[in-house]
Amino acid sequence: MHSYPGPPQSGTQPLPMAQNGQKMVLAAVSLQAHAFKAMMRYQIETLAFLRHRYEQDIKLADDLIGGPEFNDAFEVVSTFLHNAASEYVTEAGKVATLTSKLASEAAGLVRKEARTAIEDIAATTVA
């Protein structure tokens, strides 16, 4: 996924610690980019849910205006609250699933970067 810069063309080799430090910085930047991507996914999910809920709020107002009797208004409000509660529970499940997926992806990324760093350290130690 990431390609790390090779040795300089001048023929001199940087110190192994400098190479490893550079790889650590690149791994940290990659993790930050992954976190940013996750944050954007949360924002998209949240905004889509809020849009739907606001549309339902407008529909509630329309339904209340259209019902001439108190019993109709009570039924409209109770149906609205029941649907809203159900949708919030569903959305909480989606967020939990998204959180689990993103945490798994982040763990895999960190594991891969750590493995690469360890292999590079081992290769420079042997050489």
Side-chain angles (χ1 to χ4, degrees):
M1 182 163 137
H2 298 288
S3 65
Y4 297 108
Q9 299 300 323
S10 64
T12 61
Q13 292 288 337
L15 295 173
M17 291 302 285
Q19 278 184 327
N20 293 333
Q22 187 179 39
K23 289 177 184 177
M24 295 288 278
V25 169
L26 289 173
V29 169
S30 176
L31 190 59
Q32 286 178 339
H34 185 77
F36 176 77
K37 183 179 171 183
M39 185 176 56
M40 291 297 104
R41 286 184 189 171
Y42 279 119
Q43 293 293 333
I44 290 168
E45 182 65 33
T46 300
L47 291 173
F49 177 73
L50 288 175
R51 178 179 181 208
H52 173 74
R53 288 304 320 146
Y54 290 149
E55 289 170 350
Q56 294 303 308
D57 291 347
I58 291 170
K59 184 180 178 303
L60 171 66
D62 289 341
D63 290 346
L64 287 174
I65 292 169
E69 296 183 24
F70 178 74
N71 289 340
D72 291 341
F74 180 76
E75 184 178 335
V76 165
V77 170
S78 66
T79 301
F80 172 81
L81 293 175
H82 173 35
N83 290 341
S86 175
E87 289 174 2
Y88 275 102
V89 168
T90 301
E91 187 65 19
K94 286 181 184 178
V95 169
T97 300
L98 182 60
T99 301
S100 174
K101 178 182 174 194
L102 294 174
S104 177
E105 288 175 4
L109 178 67
V110 169
R111 189 172 28 255
K112 180 182 175 202
E113 296 294 340
R115 186 178 302 122
T116 301
I118 290 169
E119 289 170 357
D120 290 345
I121 292 170
T124 56
T125 304
V126 171

